[in-house]
Amino acid sequence: MEEVRCKIIDAHAHLWLNVDTVVNGSPIHPLEPNRSRSIFFGEERQMLPPYMTDGQNTAERFLSNMDYAQVSAAVITQEFIDGLQNSYLQQVQQQYPDRFFCFGMPETRQPGFLSQAKQLIEQGFKGLKIPAARLNVQFLNDEMMQMFRYMEQHGIILGIELADGDVQVSQMEEVIQECPKLKIAIGHFGMVTRPNWMSQIRLARHENVYVESGGITWLFNDEFYPFPSAIKAIKEAADEVGMEKLMWGSDYPRTITAITYKMSYDFVSKSTELTDKEKRLFLCDNAKHFFGFGKLKELPYIKNMSE
């Protein structure tokens, strides 16, 4: 089957100028002289492709990858393991408004984050990210709910990643009931390789809840390309909530230490198990609608020197 042709949107990627942070008491910082590697929770990890020796995961480098892979736009999320990147991502959003939708991230590990969230919204962020999986299992408190209500009132999108399985799903059901117009993107495809992952997918039965697949190639890394079990999981999720509720995400750049950026989506576009309509919804149309992208850049195919 030929690859589907559409203006592809990556619904889950990361950018940073520098990573130097502490998560749960463990430092995460780049190694010298090879700064593509980092100390990650006490272990040495390949955080970036090995040629990125300065440790910088910039918008310009990502745009080069996007243009080469014919990805028209991307959603830039955040995670505590990146360190807060609000200042840099505000610049990226202003400089490349047609290519990126950037999430701001308040410091929700400390009380008083509501005022910071309001400030990020005033600065122009249209979405806020909450890595709930790295918070206490009981992450929902009065201040968090106040923030969600404020986001709903101001049309701000919530990006959230939950702990494995269903341990935080009931809290999300409470949020959805309290804030039914809040647009929510559930990350990492519900941690699809973990038990009870479908409980997170089922949250997308609610009108304003979608699921993105950032990290799905990492979660099925043991199987490796072309990730047939990932395709099976996408079909299972679509049977549960509809393909119109699912979005492709790469989890760039960490995932491209193992595969190329294009490989992070072409296992979908080349699949014989999905229809062209399903591919267009998953790779293009759903994210365009959910994140409100306007006119998307047309990117030509550029032949490789090896072709």
Side-chain angles (χ1 to χ4, degrees), residues 98-119:
D98 297 331
R99 302 300 300 274
F100 294 121
F101 177 104
C102 295
F103 277 100
M105 186 168 70
E107 179 48 277
T108 49
R109 293 171 294 185
Q110 302 294 334
F113 56 82
L114 176 58
S115 61
Q116 186 187 10
K118 291 179 178 179
Q119 184 178 24

Side-chain angles (χ1 to χ4, degrees), residues 212-275:
E212 45 91 343
S213 72
I216 198 168
T217 60
W218 152 62
L219 289 163
F220 286 101
N221 184 64
D222 288 347
E223 180 180 86
F224 205 65
Y225 188 89
F227 308 107
S229 295
I231 294 293
K232 180 182 177 183
I234 291 167
K235 289 175 64 67
E236 287 180 12
D239 288 343
E240 195 75 19
V241 299
M243 187 63 80
E244 67 276 5
K245 285 302 196 76
L246 308 178
M247 304 179 288
W248 167 68
S250 69
D251 212 1
Y252 174 100
R254 297 182 183 95
T255 48
I256 66 165
T257 59
I259 58 176
T260 69
Y261 183 49
K262 187 173 183 180
M263 288 167 71
S264 69
Y265 77 79
D266 76 356
F267 77 95
V268 173
S269 64
K270 291 178 178 178
S271 172
T272 60
E273 302 299 312
L274 300 169
T275 67

Side-chain angles (χ1 to χ4, degrees), residues 7 18 85-86 131 142 171 187 288 304:
K7 294 177 181 177
N18 183 53
Q85 299 292 330
N86 294 316
D142 289 343
Q171 295 172 76
K288 186 177 190 295
N304 289 320

Side-chain angles (χ1 to χ4, degrees), residues 56-265:
Q56 293 192 344
N57 171 37
T58 65
E60 289 74 24
R61 285 176 175 167
F62 190 24
L63 285 168
S64 181
N65 270 288
M66 290 167 63
D67 290 352
Y68 174 68
Q70 296 178 278
V71 174
S72 294
V75 176
I76 306 303
T77 188
Q78 295 199 56
E79 228 273 25
F80 291 140
I81 63 174
D82 300 343
L84 270 66
Q85 299 292 330
N86 294 316
S87 295
Y88 178 55
L89 294 187
Q90 185 179 14
Q91 297 174 29
V92 169
Q93 186 72 83
Q94 292 170 350
Q95 190 169 359
Y96 305 106
D98 297 331
R99 302 300 300 274
F100 294 121
F101 177 104
C102 295
F103 277 100
M105 186 168 70
E107 179 48 277
T108 49
R109 293 171 294 185
Q110 302 294 334
F113 56 82
L114 176 58
S115 61
Q116 186 187 10
K118 291 179 178 179
Q119 184 178 24
L120 290 170
I121 293 168
E122 289 175 3
Q123 290 170 355
F125 285 103
K126 302 298 183 184
L128 295 181
K129 171 65 183 295
I130 310 298
R134 298 198 187 278
L135 300 175
N136 294 330
V137 171
Q138 181 63 39
F139 73 92
L140 188 59
N141 55 34
D142 289 343
E143 187 175 20
M144 189 75 75
M145 188 65 87
Q146 288 180 53
M147 183 179 69
F148 293 151
R149 291 193 193 102
Y150 188 86
M151 292 171 65
E152 180 189 34
Q153 292 165 7
H154 290 80
I156 304 301
I157 295 174
L158 169 64
I160 192 163
E161 286 144 15
L162 302 175
D164 294 1
D166 59 1
V167 296
Q168 293 178 324
V169 167
S170 62
Q171 295 172 76
M172 285 308 303
E173 291 282 6
E174 185 177 345
V175 172
I176 295 164
Q177 182 176 2
E178 183 71 18
C179 306
K181 294 183 180 179
L182 177 64
K183 294 176 72 173
I184 302 171
I186 305 293
H188 290 323
F189 218 67
M191 294 300 291
V192 57
T193 55
R194 311 296 196 254
N196 299 320
W197 66 279
M198 190 60 76
S199 64
Q200 295 189 33
I201 302 297
R202 292 190 186 103
L203 290 169
R205 291 174 174 175
H206 296 280
E207 181 180 1
N208 292 310
V209 182
Y210 284 55
V211 175
E212 45 91 343
S213 72
I216 198 168
T217 60
W218 152 62
L219 289 163
F220 286 101
N221 184 64
D222 288 347
E223 180 180 86
F224 205 65
Y225 188 89
F227 308 107
S229 295
I231 294 293
K232 180 182 177 183
I234 291 167
K235 289 175 64 67
E236 287 180 12
D239 288 343
E240 195 75 19
V241 299
M243 187 63 80
E244 67 276 5
K245 285 302 196 76
L246 308 178
M247 304 179 288
W248 167 68
S250 69
D251 212 1
Y252 174 100
R254 297 182 183 95
T255 48
I256 66 165
T257 59
I259 58 176
T260 69
Y261 183 49
K262 187 173 183 180
M263 288 167 71
S264 69
Y265 77 79

